[in-house]
Amino acid sequence: MKNYLILWMFLLLISTLSAQNEDTYLYNEAEKKNDIIVVNLLNNQWLNVKSPMKQMPVSLGIDLYVMKTLLKTNRTINFSVGFGVSSHNVHTNALPFDSLKNTYFKLIPPGYQYLKNKLTVNYFEIPLEINIVGKNDRRNRNLRVAIGGKGGYMLNNYIKYVGEDFRNLSSKVVKFKEYRLENIMRYRYGVYIRMSYGRFGVAASYLLTPVYEKTKGPNLIPFTYGFSFAII
């Protein structure tokens, strides 16, 4: 019995090594996998920013999603649903203030230096997407395209300022955060696309809801673009 077991293990080892050798030349369809954990490092921007207010060319934000495929993982076309968090940050030369229940932006006075001035809104989000997964190549990598939509609910918001204290007409460097800004939409939804080869790729999104509630603030529409990578 022991000899049969040794022989069986030997044959299994030979079979495994042979299969690994064949994978060098053949595509392995069973290895088509959709993303499990997706991380997007994005440049966050707004549409409809009115002069003289300006946004910085680069405002970094991040998406972190855990995705689950709804059909078998070796399909070329699949569907995925997930959940995660998104941090939307935009750096500008102005700060929001409220007047008569509406929100406006006021420029930081000229002559004051600052290192950081941003508005941050964090969301819990649920993405739903269609996945198109190509064949594995000789390096066991494939081309993947995800087209989807997402809906989110605001977790918190704040402004962060680091620079000279213009509020007290001083050149002293101060830091402050203000939470619970008024009139920011509590929910948001939009569309996105993600394209990757192997674990790395690019992503972009366009939100169909503005940052502020209708008629209660400027009509700022968020959009993002940047890099994406997956942990499979």
Side-chain angles (χ1 to χ4, degrees):
M1 183 67 180
K2 181 179 179 180
N3 291 335
Y4 284 116
L5 181 60
I6 293 174
L7 178 61
W8 181 83
M9 293 179 64
F10 177 77
L11 292 175
L12 179 62
L13 177 61
I14 295 297
S15 176
T16 302
L17 292 175
S18 176
Q20 290 177 347
N21 186 56
E22 290 176 1
D23 285 344
T24 306
Y25 306 98
L26 300 177
Y27 296 125
N28 185 355
E29 295 295 334
E31 290 298 323
K32 285 184 180 178
K33 294 181 180 178
N34 295 101
D35 301 334
I36 295 177
I37 299 178
V38 177
V39 181
N40 298 326
L41 301 177
L42 304 168
N43 184 20
N44 300 154
Q45 297 288 297
W46 291 333
L47 294 176
N48 303 329
V49 175
K50 303 295 185 181
S51 182
M53 179 180 171
K54 295 180 180 179
Q55 55 189 334
M56 299 302 104
V58 178
S59 295
L60 295 180
I62 187 171
D63 298 336
L64 176 61
Y65 301 128
V66 178
M67 305 297 296
K68 173 67 175 177
T69 53
L70 301 179
L71 304 176
K72 293 182 179 179
T73 57
N74 62 347
R75 293 173 57 95
T76 299
I77 298 179
N78 212 325
F79 297 89
S80 296
V81 66
F83 66 92
V85 293
S86 176
S87 183
H88 188 84
N89 304 281
V90 175
H91 296 252
T92 71
N93 63 342
L95 286 166
F97 73 97
D98 297 328
S99 176
L100 301 176
K101 297 184 179 181
N102 288 330
T103 298
Y104 305 89
F105 277 83
K106 184 176 182 179
L107 296 181
I108 296 173
Y112 289 92
Q113 302 295 319
Y114 56 94
L115 298 176
K116 182 177 294 186
N117 178 56
K118 69 173 183 176
L119 188 153
T120 297
V121 188
N122 297 313
Y123 298 91
F124 172 80
E125 292 190 326
I126 297 179
L128 176 64
E129 63 187 35
I130 299 173
N131 308 117
I132 303 173
V133 185
K135 292 182 178 180
N136 285 12
D137 61 17
R138 295 174 185 268
R139 292 185 292 179
N140 203 30
R141 299 175 182 174
N142 53 28
L143 178 67
R144 290 175 288 176
V145 179
I147 302 173
K150 61 180 182 178
Y153 188 81
M154 183 174 64
L155 298 174
N156 63 9
N157 65 62
Y158 61 87
I159 55 172
K160 182 177 181 179
Y161 176 86
V162 180
E164 294 180 343
D165 188 5
F166 65 90
R167 290 179 169 179
N168 294 309
L169 306 179
S170 170
S171 61
K172 180 181 178 181
V173 174
V174 296
K175 301 179 183 180
F176 65 80
K177 279 186 178 182
E178 293 183 4
Y179 289 86
R180 301 183 183 89
L181 307 177
E182 297 293 332
N183 299 327
I184 291 181
M185 291 277 286
R186 292 187 176 273
Y187 63 89
R188 72 173 188 171
Y189 55 87
V191 294
Y192 66 89
I193 184 171
R194 187 175 67 253
M195 300 178 63
S196 61
Y197 172 69
R199 295 187 178 186
F200 300 95
V202 294
S205 70
Y206 178 82
L207 276 299
L208 302 175
T209 50
V211 176
Y212 287 93
E213 296 178 20
K214 188 175 181 179
T215 72
K216 292 187 177 182
N219 185 33
L220 303 173
I221 306 296
F223 68 97
T224 69
Y225 56 90
F227 299 100
S228 177
F229 67 92
I231 303 171
I232 301 176

